[in-house]
Amino acid sequence: MGNQSPQDSETEQWLNLPSDCLDPLAEEAYSFSLEILDRSAYDEAIDWRMQALSLEVVALQARHQGQDFRPELVDALYPILERMGSNNAALQQHAVTCLSIVSDSCRCPSASELVVHNADYLVNAVAVKLNTFDISPQASQVMLMMVRLCGSAIIPYLDDLIESIFAILACYHGYPRLVESLFEVLNAIVEEGARASPRAIEPAIKTTPSPRRPYKLTTITDVAARLQFVKNRSDCTSPSTPSPEPDPELSSTPEPEAPQPATAEKPPPQSKAHSLIHSITQQTAHHLSTPSPPLRRLLLSLIASSLPSLNPQSTTQADNDTIFLPLIATLWPHVTRQIFPPKSSSPSTATPADLPTLLTALQTLTTLSQHGGSFLLSRFSDLLPQLQTLYHQLEQGMLHEEKTLGRSRASRGTKFKTWDQMVGLV
């Protein structure tokens, strides 16, 4: 101790603070950190290292208070999730670590359950920004992180936010980056809803398969089997021996009353998650007229992702007739217009830049046809001549690229993938 420098002595003095001074200083540092984190993560005036240090202070405060930190989640959880969506990998890692420490300190089994338990606070904070038409990327980043962390468990809490998102899209559809960020959130919601099993979306409904089947041509073997079945049934029902006369004593016995026909049960109501995915899919189709090819591809992928969770196999027959099939009819013209633009006599293969969009549109149309079944038979038949013309155009482009680049390289190109998708569709 005699050889200790004045600088070491000063450091030890600050590190060995009295207990009555430690808590006020920690509270002051925590309050200052929240002021830093309340500002946008995209604010260039704040260095990312200052934000990372503020996240560390929040984590230390949570570890110090334990379960008593739960009331502080109203103010602390939103900025943590916002930094988790940051483009800065170091800041993002700090936010992930901070959220993990906070969930452990609050005695939550996982970070996702912590977010679900505090969904009301987060939804209200996001709703304030959306309802005031705050077009900064903060709200969309927080919503995206909420969905990615919690999966389908958070979807029932987002109904009001989805309405606000479409209200913003209606007013700011001319801002491609904003529109794309909002549709990324909607796409994440649909993907998480589709990833969950139908029982997770409709836990109380016993589902029955739809009687509609894909169209199948009748063959001679099918006709012969049907005739044999009818013949065998008629042989079994023909009387071979006379029926015995009824016993008069037994005939005096009153016949039991015929059972009353059971009344048709009303179909159970849809879950909130199912209704939200249906609403998102239906409203997304109207935004396919956007001039941005990457955004159109995102919207087409969203539609294709939503159909497995909305198909007839996961709904009742009444829902199939009144909800799913009208949705299929609504989506069909919007999707086909991405393949055959109305103002062009030729398909969208005219420009090579549109090939990725055409590929995504064909994939979506294939998914639509698979789930629509025989309901789309007449529509598909009307579109068949145009599809045949498109098939020959894609085949010629694919063969030309194969001769130029070779089979191995051409098979990895967009032209080959588009042609292969066309083969699968037709």
Side-chain angles (χ1 to χ4, degrees):
M1 295 296 295
N3 297 329
Q4 187 178 26
S5 64
Q7 183 178 0
D8 293 339
S9 178
E10 184 178 359
T11 302
E12 183 179 352
Q13 178 183 355
W14 285 105
L15 289 177
N16 293 277
L17 293 172
S19 58
D20 56 345
C21 297
L22 184 59
D23 289 342
L25 288 176
E27 288 291 341
E28 185 176 352
Y30 173 69
S31 300
F32 178 75
S33 299
L34 284 184
E35 292 179 6
I36 297 294
L37 296 175
D38 281 341
R39 300 175 65 176
S40 173
Y42 299 89
D43 191 348
E44 297 180 355
I46 305 177
D47 191 276
W48 72 268
R49 288 165 292 192
M50 179 64 71
Q51 300 180 50
L53 185 60
S54 300
L55 289 172
E56 293 181 9
V57 173
V58 172
L60 289 174
Q61 183 76 350
R63 185 173 290 172
H64 176 66
Q65 293 186 354
Q67 296 190 46
D68 294 336
F69 188 77
R70 290 190 174 189
E72 299 293 333
L73 294 173
V74 178
D75 299 320
L77 193 55
Y78 184 95
I80 295 175
L81 292 179
E82 182 187 351
R83 269 70 186 179
M84 288 182 64
S86 173
N87 296 327
N88 188 315
L91 181 59
Q92 187 182 51
Q93 186 61 39
H94 271 78
V96 171
T97 305
C98 179
L99 183 63
S100 177
I101 293 175
V102 168
S103 61
D104 290 342
S105 301
C106 295
R107 301 295 187 269
C108 282
S110 63
S112 60
E113 291 194 21
L114 178 71
V115 174
V116 172
H117 292 162
N118 296 272
D120 293 339
Y121 305 138
L122 295 170
V123 168
N124 290 337
V126 175
V128 169
K129 293 184 177 294
L130 295 181
N131 292 335
T132 56
F133 288 89
D134 184 352
I135 60 175
S136 62
Q138 286 178 281
S140 59
Q141 286 291 348
V142 172
M143 286 188 65
L144 187 60
M145 290 301 105
M146 289 169 59
V147 176
R148 293 301 187 198
L149 275 173
C150 305
S152 59
I154 199 69
I155 293 179
Y157 297 92
L158 305 178
D159 49 350
D160 293 335
L161 297 184
I162 291 174
E163 294 180 5
S164 301
I165 286 177
F166 279 108
I168 292 178
L169 289 172
C171 297
Y172 295 94
H173 56 271
Y175 296 83
R177 186 65 192 96
L178 172 65
V179 173
E180 186 174 351
S181 65
L182 293 176
F183 269 113
E184 285 177 356
V185 176
L186 297 176
N187 188 44
I189 294 173
V190 171
E191 286 181 351
E192 294 298 334
R195 188 174 291 117
S197 64
R199 293 181 181 273
I201 297 177
E202 298 285 347
I205 296 178
K206 185 178 180 181
T207 60
T208 55
S210 170
R212 287 182 172 81
R213 296 291 183 267
Y215 180 74
K216 179 183 178 182
L217 292 175
T218 303
T219 63
I220 296 298
T221 306
D222 297 333
V223 175
R226 179 63 181 172
L227 292 175
Q228 184 65 34
F229 172 75
V230 173
K231 181 178 180 300
N232 294 338
R233 187 174 61 178
S234 61
D235 292 342
C236 294
T237 55
S238 59
S240 57
T241 56
S243 58
E245 296 182 359
D247 191 346
E249 295 181 0
L250 295 176
S251 61
S252 62
T253 305
E255 297 181 356
E257 296 182 359
Q260 296 294 331
T263 57
E265 296 182 359
K266 294 183 178 180
Q270 290 183 334
S271 71
K272 184 177 291 187
H274 188 279
S275 301
L276 288 178
I277 296 176
H278 182 277
S279 176
I280 291 173
T281 306
Q282 189 172 29
Q283 297 186 65
T284 296
H286 302 289
H287 291 269
L288 281 172
S289 58
T290 175
S292 171
L295 182 56
R296 290 206 305 271
R297 292 195 291 270
L298 177 63
L299 303 187
L300 289 168
S301 300
L302 187 154
I303 293 173
S305 300
S306 68
L307 293 176
S309 60
L310 299 174
N311 66 6
Q313 300 296 331
S314 59
T315 58
T316 62
Q317 179 59 31
D319 290 339
N320 180 41
D321 294 336
T322 61
I323 298 177
F324 182 73
L325 294 184
L327 176 63
I328 292 291
T330 300
L331 296 175
W332 177 267
H334 293 283
V335 175
T336 54
R337 274 198 290 268
Q338 302 304 309
I339 305 174
F340 304 101
K343 294 183 181 180
S344 175
S345 57
S346 61
S348 58
T349 51
T351 56
D354 289 338
L355 272 179
T357 304
L358 176 62
L359 174 60
T360 308
L362 289 174
Q363 292 170 346
T364 305
L365 187 64
T366 302
T367 305
L368 202 65
S369 302
Q370 290 172 347
H371 292 282
S374 59
F375 176 74
L376 293 176
L377 181 60
S378 60
R379 292 175 172 83
F380 199 89
S381 300
D382 295 339
L383 199 63
L384 193 58
Q386 294 173 281
L387 290 174
Q388 290 176 341
T389 303
L390 176 59
Y391 169 78
H392 292 302
Q393 293 180 2
L394 293 173
E395 187 180 33
Q396 292 176 3
M398 181 270 298
L399 293 176
H400 180 268
E401 189 175 72
E402 186 177 293
K403 291 179 181 179
T404 306
L405 303 177
R407 177 179 293 271
S408 60
R409 290 183 62 188
S411 62
R412 298 191 296 268
T414 307
K415 289 185 178 180
F416 180 86
K417 293 179 181 179
T418 307
W419 171 81
D420 186 63
Q421 184 64 42
M422 188 68 193
V423 172
L425 174 63
V426 176

